[in-house]
């Protein structure tokens, strides 16, 4: 079975973003970029399925400017077999990403597609579900466990009240939550090897997709900042403040 | 404007999160129809009909919708959607699963977790774990929206008298089947609805030690929350995670115990009215936004707090 994993290049999760002075976005100049953490979990899961003999090939896809090839190489170093870069000037919005991925899937015919549930920049949490709709396939979102057996995939999902397990016909779309696995680090020899793994570049036109704008960003602002309050020196002082000053207990 | 609002429920009662989405819908304006899709969920429809501001309730009562499977629900919603300008739902694990699927079926974008309504097509939403707020405009004829419930007051649960109409429709994809679920039962207030939340982090050290937190929670009538580190370590279940990728809470009082204050955690609680931090490290970032900070060992502080409350 072939697996497709899609990955996104985002700001490193440790970095606190700064909004640009002209309010057109956040400042990404000279900021450390990385594989979106949820996408890293998706890559790890695919590699584990390959190591377990469930999958035969792992193809990793990313959409965006040339720079995303850095993240594709990271995924190849982690163990993906080959990469597809769909080149666009900017990072397209979720529906466009889903349309591009749907075309890749049509051509590649994977048994399972694994994506991160959300990217930590736009916080949309949409692409996997949109892709599933466009491909007309079942979805297992926010997965904390994935088991392929008997032509189906069992996906345990993190939901508001706890956990819920679904059985999905293959091909299916899975999106990862934090507790699905703990991603490995790439080893130096693998990073070297990854440079020689195949990486195909395609354009949206090659895939027959016209990118449309559905949502326009008018401005980006810094949220109201909370000021640090005071330190209290004892439990008694804390209770007193909560009762008599804040009046919340 | 003609708004279709998808009710959040468990087949027996309307989830109060729905009332926050009703408030957002009321700010957009126009006629408000609530869709209740589930199985044996007449009660929910009756409750929805009483919510102030609701003009009509559609009831799709069918086994195919019992477990909120996204394939079936999205097909139903996309079919019912004709004629509506907005399709809106409270952000929850069900709507996050379903609504993007609806948007794709309708070939429109989705606005995730809005926190303010500027006009019928302009909204504000947090990005980068809430470290930036984007003002976004939808270019689509139909706007698919999820609402961050902590940002909107709840509409009155009583006062309306909408009629209930039945939608006779069964959309079962047959490709996705419910196997089982482990839902956490608790007598405490629900995390996102509680007025006091006390959360524990890695500093608690073990599942057993969460009892220290529970004792204080009992005194305060508080809900229990947790950081990702505490959930990952297996101290508590995943439904208690507060943060960018967990639950978003904004209680009157939030007490963070043994939590360092990573941006991903702050994203889920920084709109709380009063924040208390208890941490032995006086440099912990959580103190930078806490209204009241107590530097100390939680194993001493929690029992003392319990005794003195
Ligand atoms: C993609 C992504 C998404 C994430 N989403 C979330 C999310 O939704 N929610 C979330 O919480 N995190 C999230 N995280 C994780 C986040 O980055 C932090 O790792 C996590 O919040 C740390 O949890 P913590 O504060 O409990 O642990 P730590 O950072 O280890 O802090 C423990 C604290 O406990 C204190 N402590 C220890 N012992 C004691 C004691 N005896 N008495 C008093 N204080 C003590 C220490 O001083 C320290 O400050 C996410 C990370 C990523 C990459």
């Amino acid at each position: 079975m072939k697996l497709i994993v899609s990955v996104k290049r985002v700001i490193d999760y440790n970095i606190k973003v700064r909004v640009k002075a002209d309010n057109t976005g956040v400042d990404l100049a000279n900021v450390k970029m990385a594989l979106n953490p949820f996408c890293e979990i998706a890559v790890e899961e695919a590699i584990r399925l390959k190591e377990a003999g469930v999958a035969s090939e792992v193809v990793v896809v990313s959409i965006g400017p040339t720079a995303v090839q850095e993240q594709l190489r990271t995924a190849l170093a982690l163990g993906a077999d080959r990469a597809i870069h769909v080149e666009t000037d900017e990072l397209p919005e979720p529906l466009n990403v889903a349309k591009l991925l749907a075309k890749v899937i049509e051509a590649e015919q994977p048994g399972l597609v694994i994506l991160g549930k959300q990217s930590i920049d736009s916080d949309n949490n949409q692409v996997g579900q949109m892709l599933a709709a466009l491909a007309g396939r079942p979805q297992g979102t926010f997965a904390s466990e994935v088991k392929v057996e008997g032509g189906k995939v069992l996906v345990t999902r993190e939901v508001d009240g706890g956990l819920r397990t679904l059985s999905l016909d293959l091909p299916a779309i899975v999106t990862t939550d934090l507790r699905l696995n703990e991603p490995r680090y790439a080893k130096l020899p693998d990073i070297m090897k990854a440079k020689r793994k195949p990486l195909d570049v395609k354009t949206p036109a090659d895939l027959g997709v016209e990118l449309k704008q559905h949502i326009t960003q008018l401005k980006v602002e810094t949220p109201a900042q909370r000021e640090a309050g005071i330190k209290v020196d004892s439990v008694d002082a804390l209770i007193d403040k909560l009762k008599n000053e804040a009046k919340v207990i | 404007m003609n708004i279709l609002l998808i009710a959040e429920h468990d087949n027996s009662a309307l989830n109060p999160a729905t009332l926050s989405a009703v408030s957002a819908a009321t700010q957009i304006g126009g006629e408000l129809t609530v869709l209740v899709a589930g199985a044996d969920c007449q009660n929910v429809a009756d409750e929805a009909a009483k919510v102030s501001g609701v003009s009509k309730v559609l009831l799709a009562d069918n086994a195919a919708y019992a477990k909120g499977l996204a394939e079936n629900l999205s097909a139903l919603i996309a079919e019912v959607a004709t004629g509506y300008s907005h399709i809106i739902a409270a952000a929850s694990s069900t709507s996050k699963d379903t609504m993007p699927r609806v948007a794709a079926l309708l070939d429109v974008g989705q606005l995730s977790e809005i926190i303010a309504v500027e006009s019928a097509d302009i909204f504000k939403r947090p990005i980068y774990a809430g470290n930036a707020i984007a003002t976004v405009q939808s270019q689509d004829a139909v706007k698919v929206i999820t609402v961050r419930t902590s940002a909107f007051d709840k509409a009155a649960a009583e006062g309306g008298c909408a009629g209930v109409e039945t939608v006779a429709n069964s959309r079962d994809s047959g490709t996705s089947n419910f196997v089982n679920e482990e839902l956490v039962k608790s007598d405490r207030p629900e995390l996102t609805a509680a007025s006091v939340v006390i959360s524990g982090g890695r500093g608690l050290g073990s599942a057993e030690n969460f009892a220290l937190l529970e004792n204080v929670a009992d005194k305060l009538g508080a809900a229990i929350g947790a950081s990702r580190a505490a959930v990952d370590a297996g101290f508590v279940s995943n439904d208690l995670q507060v943060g960018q990728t967990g639950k978003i809470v904004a209680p009157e009082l939030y007490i963070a115990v043994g939590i360092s204050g990573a941006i991903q955690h702050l994203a889920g609680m920084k709109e709380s009215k009063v924040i208390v931090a208890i941490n032995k490290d006086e440099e912990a970032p959580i103190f930078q936004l806490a209204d009241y900070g107590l530097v100390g060992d939680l194993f001493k502080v929690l029992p003392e707090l319990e005794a003195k409350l």
Side-chain angles (χ1 to χ4, degrees):
Chain A
M1 178 167 83
K2 188 194 283 185
L3 302 186
I4 290 213
V5 179
S6 85
V7 299
K8 187 177 182 187
R9 174 184 169 88
V10 298
I11 188 168
D12 184 276
Y13 79 92
N14 286 306
I15 294 168
K16 189 167 177 200
V17 295
R18 258 204 303 272
V19 171
K20 285 193 207 161
D22 64 1
N23 294 114
T24 55
V26 303
D27 196 354
L28 293 178
N30 303 315
V31 167
K32 187 175 173 217
M33 302 296 280
L35 207 58
N36 178 46
F38 289 100
C39 302
E40 218 175 341
I41 296 172
V43 171
E44 176 67 32
E45 194 64 15
I47 294 163
R48 288 188 189 186
L49 286 168
K50 191 179 169 195
E51 286 168 348
V54 175
S56 49
E57 190 187 20
V58 176
V59 183
V60 57
V61 186
S62 192
I63 297 165
T66 315
V68 308
Q69 291 191 9
E70 195 187 324
Q71 277 61 48
L72 286 173
R73 292 288 172 203
T74 305
L76 291 170
L78 289 167
D81 297 294
R82 63 185 168 90
I84 299 172
H85 171 205
V86 181
E87 190 158 23
T88 58
D89 295 338
E90 289 176 29
L91 292 174
E93 56 182 286
L95 185 58
N96 287 324
V97 171
K99 284 182 180 174
L100 293 166
L101 290 176
K103 289 294 180 185
V104 171
I105 282 164
E106 206 178 291
E108 295 280 344
Q109 298 285 320
L112 195 63
V113 184
I114 312 180
L115 309 86
K117 79 163 179 181
Q118 145 179 10
S119 59
I120 60 163
D121 51 1
S122 49
D123 280 336
N124 275 314
N125 192 339
Q126 297 175 4
V127 171
Q129 298 87 316
M130 288 179 161
L131 172 62
L134 297 175
R137 297 309 308 166
Q139 69 190 41
T141 54
F142 327 147
S144 65
E145 198 182 345
V146 173
K147 269 193 286 191
V148 179
E149 51 187 42
K152 308 236 182 208
V153 58
L154 282 177
V155 181
T156 301
R157 311 178 49 230
E158 293 200 357
V159 295
D160 286 343
L163 297 171
R164 173 175 287 189
T165 303
L166 303 178
S167 166
L168 310 176
D169 289 358
L170 297 174
I173 316 292
V174 168
T175 76
T176 63
D177 217 316
L178 293 169
R179 279 160 286 275
L180 182 56
N181 60 51
E182 238 179 276
R184 70 193 70 190
Y185 294 98
K187 294 193 202 78
L188 191 60
D190 293 332
I191 295 172
M192 301 312 288
K193 259 193 269 171
K195 292 187 177 150
R196 292 189 302 274
K197 287 188 180 176
L199 188 157
D200 261 0
V201 183
K202 290 192 181 341
T203 64
D206 293 340
L207 296 169
V209 176
E210 203 190 321
L211 304 184
K212 272 206 302 221
Q213 189 164 44
H214 296 275
I215 290 161
T216 326
Q217 191 164 285
L218 302 179
K219 66 176 175 212
V220 174
E221 294 163 297
T222 307
Q225 299 294 316
R226 269 190 105 101
E227 302 283 314
I230 56 161
K231 293 246 170 72
V232 292
D233 57 7
S234 67
V235 169
D236 291 315
L238 177 63
I239 293 176
D240 175 61
K241 290 286 183 195
L242 293 178
K243 273 200 177 129
N244 302 316
E245 192 175 87
K247 299 190 166 58
V248 284
I249 60 170
Chain B
M1 253 129 9
N2 218 342
I3 302 177
L4 180 66
L5 188 145
I6 317 302
E8 176 76 22
H9 64 90
D10 60 0
N11 291 321
S12 57
L14 190 67
N15 187 311
T18 310
L19 302 175
S20 299
V22 169
S23 288
T26 312
Q27 288 183 26
I28 296 168
E31 287 279 290
L32 178 58
T33 301
V34 173
L35 171 64
V36 176
D40 299 323
C41 54
Q42 176 73 46
N43 271 349
V44 181
D46 294 342
E47 268 188 76
K50 290 192 205 119
V51 174
S52 159
V54 174
S55 28
K56 187 162 77 177
V57 174
L58 299 175
L59 172 61
D61 195 331
N62 191 290
Y65 311 128
K67 292 295 179 186
L69 296 177
E71 296 76 7
N72 303 351
L73 274 186
S74 60
L76 166 71
I77 296 167
E79 189 178 307
V80 173
T82 316
Y84 292 98
S85 57
H86 297 71
I87 303 172
I88 179 165
S92 68
S93 56
T94 307
S95 70
K96 288 177 188 175
D97 190 37
T98 306
M99 295 291 266
R101 215 172 153 115
V102 173
L105 291 174
L106 299 175
D107 195 26
V108 300
Q110 173 180 302
L111 302 133
S112 294
E113 301 216 24
I114 63 160
I115 55 167
V117 175
E118 302 287 290
S119 72
D121 59 356
I122 301 180
F123 307 90
K124 285 190 197 268
R125 56 177 302 267
I127 53 177
Y128 292 93
N131 288 302
I133 306 295
T135 303
V136 289
Q137 181 166 31
S138 164
Q139 309 293 334
D140 293 313
V142 184
K143 288 124 186 85
V144 174
I145 297 169
T146 63
V147 175
R148 178 163 291 188
T149 53
S150 61
F152 292 90
D153 289 337
K154 290 184 174 50
E158 303 278 337
C161 56
V164 179
E165 285 174 24
T166 308
V167 181
N169 154 321
S170 167
R171 294 289 217 126
D172 191 349
S173 74
T175 55
S176 170
N177 288 292
F178 171 80
V179 178
N180 59 43
E181 63 193 351
E182 286 168 47
L183 297 185
V184 180
K185 290 265 167 295
S186 165
D187 296 332
R188 285 178 211 290
E190 206 271 313
L191 186 51
T192 55
S195 60
V196 180
V197 173
I198 178 162
S199 288
R202 198 194 309 270
L204 266 291
S206 73
E208 293 71 45
N209 290 341
F210 257 78
L212 297 171
L213 215 63
E214 284 161 13
N215 295 339
V216 177
D218 288 342
K219 286 278 172 82
L220 292 170
I224 303 260
S227 71
R228 172 192 174 182
V231 178
D232 283 4
F235 301 169
V236 289
S237 54
N238 63 279
D239 55 299
L240 299 189
Q241 181 179 314
V242 171
Q244 180 184 16
T245 57
K247 298 221 166 108
I248 310 288
V249 302
E252 293 292 303
L253 173 61
Y254 187 90
I255 308 177
V257 185
I259 291 178
S260 61
I263 49 179
Q264 292 84 7
H265 187 79
L266 304 185
M269 46 65 82
K270 67 178 178 173
E271 304 302 326
S272 304
K273 197 158 152 246
V274 174
I275 296 174
V276 170
I278 299 169
N279 197 303
K280 67 177 179 188
D281 172 11
E282 62 176 331
E283 302 291 322
I286 188 83
F287 287 123
Q288 288 165 22
L289 85 167
D291 299 288
Y292 302 108
L294 180 56
V295 179
D297 184 347
L298 67 91
F299 295 105
K300 296 207 181 78
V301 171
L302 288 177
E304 188 181 341
L305 197 55
E306 184 206 340
K308 289 181 171 166
L309 277 170

